[in-house]
Amino acid sequence: MELSEQQVQQELLFAGFIRVLGLFMLGSLIVICHIYGEQFQLNWPEQERVVIRTVLYIVAILTFLALKFIRHILLQLNQRPSEKPAKSRYLMTILLTMLIAESMGIYGFIMYLLGDGVNTLYIFSVLSALAMYLHRPNIEEYRLILTSQQHT
């Protein structure tokens, strides 16, 4: 039984909601930093922050690159026969992808709390938002999972 375009979009509605929620959380972190940031900033010495910032940049870049590979593996696993419905397996893929992407934005929040300026917060947030955009729910991927499920 093949699903119509409208049914597929309806099934992916919650996956889109997960992505919007991730973007909302990212925006909330930025707003929190602008409103309450100076009260909570720890103002660590610059030398210590440079080391931590450099490590977090490396981790974020590696995470950004690894995210495509992780999503590819998850999508391949989704296409294997399973008792779980295709929708729940694809939602888990989207959820994990968005959580990993969100983590890059949290690095900027951490650096801001340690005493860095808003530029670092924005760089990590944009990287996180870009990852969320690139790995958004995709109708073709979901159809591929549905098709592989029907052939088993």
Side-chain angles (χ1 to χ4, degrees):
M1 180 181 106
E2 183 127 350
L3 295 175
S4 71
E5 185 72 24
Q6 185 178 9
Q7 289 172 319
V8 171
Q9 287 180 351
Q10 188 174 5
E11 287 195 3
L12 288 179
L13 193 61
F14 192 67
F17 175 74
I18 291 171
R19 179 173 159 239
V20 168
L21 184 62
L23 290 169
F24 176 76
M25 288 174 30
L26 195 60
S28 297
L29 289 177
I30 293 171
V31 169
I32 287 170
C33 286
H34 279 287
I35 295 174
Y36 302 109
E38 291 180 13
Q39 298 171 4
F40 297 112
Q41 276 190 327
L42 300 175
N43 296 319
W44 279 22
E46 179 70 24
Q47 293 171 339
E48 292 178 24
R49 283 188 316 212
V50 167
V51 171
I52 295 171
R53 183 184 325 123
T54 303
V55 168
L56 289 178
Y57 276 141
I58 292 169
V59 170
I61 291 169
L62 291 175
T63 301
F64 191 84
L65 297 173
L67 194 54
K68 183 167 179 66
F69 179 68
I70 292 168
R71 184 175 170 114
H72 176 73
I73 289 172
L74 290 172
L75 289 172
Q76 292 299 315
L77 291 173
N78 285 341
Q79 293 176 20
R80 294 187 179 199
S82 175
E83 293 179 14
K84 294 182 181 178
K87 179 181 178 181
S88 68
R89 290 183 290 148
Y90 191 63
L91 282 176
M92 185 57 67
T93 298
I94 296 299
L95 181 64
L96 288 173
T97 304
M98 293 301 130
L99 285 173
I100 293 169
E102 184 77 31
S103 71
M104 292 182 273
I106 293 172
Y107 300 157
F109 181 71
I110 291 169
M111 288 308 303
Y112 187 82
L113 291 180
L114 293 179
D116 263 11
V118 291
N119 287 344
T120 304
L121 175 67
Y122 291 153
I123 290 169
F124 281 112
S125 297
V126 166
L127 188 62
S128 177
L130 180 62
M132 288 182 194
Y133 173 76
L134 292 174
H135 300 291
R136 65 192 179 276
N138 188 325
I139 291 176
E140 289 79 27
E141 290 173 344
Y142 187 57
R143 281 198 185 277
L144 191 60
I145 294 168
L146 288 173
T147 304
S148 68
Q149 199 64 18
Q150 290 172 357
H151 291 299
T152 58

